[in-house]
Amino acid sequence: MAVWKYDGGKDSVLQVNREGYANCSTSNPIEECSDGNTTVKLDRPGPFYFISEAKGHCEKGQKAIVVVTSQQIHGNFSCRV
């Protein structure tokens, strides 16, 4: 599980594909949360790509790759409200 806490009024967390991560592209996210308390349940092995949606933040390094190695996991992406 990954958790992000941030100012939801000023930013959001986007789950993107590898290309979106490499290019800091916010145009076609897989998932988007802007509630300020984002929890991601990593539901499959492999890489998950996340970037900040706030202008210029991803380009300044506000992005992350999470690699899951175990196949015994369950869950989904959700915004806690």
Side-chain angles (χ1 to χ4, degrees):
M1 185 178 317
V3 177
W4 281 269
K5 295 188 184 283
Y6 53 95
D7 184 345
K10 296 181 181 178
D11 205 348
S12 60
V13 173
L14 303 180
Q15 182 179 357
V16 295
N17 62 23
R18 184 170 150 171
E19 182 179 336
Y21 178 86
N23 297 320
C24 289
S25 174
T26 60
S27 63
N28 193 23
I30 296 167
E31 296 285 347
E32 176 179 1
C33 282
S34 59
D35 63 348
N37 187 22
T38 299
T39 300
V40 180
K41 294 180 183 176
L42 307 166
D43 62 354
R44 60 171 172 74
F48 290 79
Y49 301 92
F50 302 96
I51 63 174
S52 167
E53 186 177 33
K55 186 173 180 143
H57 286 199
C58 179
E59 292 81 0
K60 292 178 183 175
Q62 286 190 3
K63 58 185 184 175
I65 302 173
V66 179
V67 179
V68 176
T69 57
S70 173
Q71 293 185 13
Q72 298 179 13
I73 50 179
H74 303 283
N76 57 17
F77 188 97
S78 65
C79 298
R80 290 186 182 174
V81 184

